[in-house]
């Protein structure tokens, strides 16, 4: 018996080439965010979405939370791009190691996060939980700073 030297990609069904729905949501999240396509990005989220971004801040529910995440990330002097480093799926969820690269008022910033994404049967995102350490070199928008 010969073993393949190429391991299967994590998050893909071995019998199908279709990505896991939560993997697809994360990949589309990064692609649409980096393209600065607000409307297409917002389409990823269910009306009942709940953001815990970051975990430790009061949960932010609903479409206004999705809009707030976008609008508070793209304030004057702030630009962020997202780079999924690794995605692991299970059930209706996925965990992603995400590299957030930004420029905040002229200063480069990198924030690595571990995020847990949950999707409905139709692939719409219902929950995002983001864990990250607060950077010391730049000040994040207060929308993303944990409650004290």
């Amino acid at each position: 018996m010969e073993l393949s030297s190429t391991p299967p990609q994590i998050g893909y069904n071995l019998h199908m080439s279709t990505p896991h729905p939560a993997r697809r949501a994360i990949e589309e999240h990064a692609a649409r965010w980096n393209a600065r396509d607000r409307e297409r990005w917002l389409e990823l989220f269910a009306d009942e979405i709940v953001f815990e971004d970051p975990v430790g801040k009061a949960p932010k529910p609903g479409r206004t939370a999705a809009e707030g995440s976008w609008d508070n990330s793209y304030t004057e002097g702030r630009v962020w791009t997202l780079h999924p480093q690794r995605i692991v799926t299970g059930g209706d969820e996925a965990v992603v190691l995400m590299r957030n690269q930004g420029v905040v008022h002229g200063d480069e910033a990198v924030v690595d996060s571990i995020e847990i994404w949950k999707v409905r049967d139709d692939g719409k995102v219902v929950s995002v939980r983001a864990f990250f350490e607060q950077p010391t070199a730049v000040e994040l928008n207060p929308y993303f700073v944990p409650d004290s």
Side-chain angles (χ1 to χ4, degrees), residues 67-139:
E67 292 167 348
S69 289
W70 181 279
D71 295 341
N72 285 286
S73 294
Y74 280 108
T75 56
E76 184 68 31
R78 298 172 190 268
V79 177
W80 293 96
T81 58
L82 307 178
H83 307 276
Q85 304 296 295
R86 177 156 183 186
I87 300 170
V88 179
T89 62
D92 59 356
E93 297 180 278
V95 176
V96 59
L97 175 59
M98 184 74 74
R99 172 143 296 177
N100 303 266
Q101 292 179 291
V103 177
V104 178
H105 301 295
D107 294 323
E108 290 187 20
V110 174
V111 177
D112 289 321
S113 61
I114 297 171
E115 302 174 6
I116 303 168
W117 288 61
K118 184 172 184 173
V119 297
R120 296 189 310 211
D121 289 343
D122 64 0
K124 293 279 189 177
V125 181
V126 294
S127 174
V128 176
R129 301 186 74 222
F131 295 80
F132 58 89
E133 294 177 345
Q134 297 295 311
T136 56
V138 298
E139 184 178 330

Side-chain angles (χ1 to χ4, degrees), residues 24-67:
R24 180 176 167 79
I26 291 167
E27 290 172 343
E28 285 296 314
H29 157 63
R32 295 174 189 192
W33 184 274
N34 293 344
R36 297 189 183 168
D37 190 339
R38 183 180 190 270
E39 290 312 308
R40 286 196 64 237
W41 183 80
L42 289 170
E43 290 172 358
L44 294 170
F45 303 100
D47 289 341
E48 67 271 19
I49 181 69
V50 175
F51 284 91
E52 291 180 72
D53 185 7
V55 170
K57 188 164 186 83
K60 303 169 200 143
R63 175 130 178 125
T64 57
E67 292 167 348

Side-chain angles (χ1 to χ4, degrees), residues 9-28:
Q9 288 188 289
I10 295 172
Y12 283 83
N13 183 318
L14 294 176
H15 305 289
M16 298 171 54
S17 62
T18 304
H20 185 282
R23 169 183 279 276
R24 180 176 167 79
I26 291 167
E27 290 172 343
E28 285 296 314

Side-chain angles (χ1 to χ4, degrees), residues 2-10 14:
E2 288 186 37
L3 294 177
S4 170
S5 61
T6 307
Q9 288 188 289
I10 295 172
L14 294 176

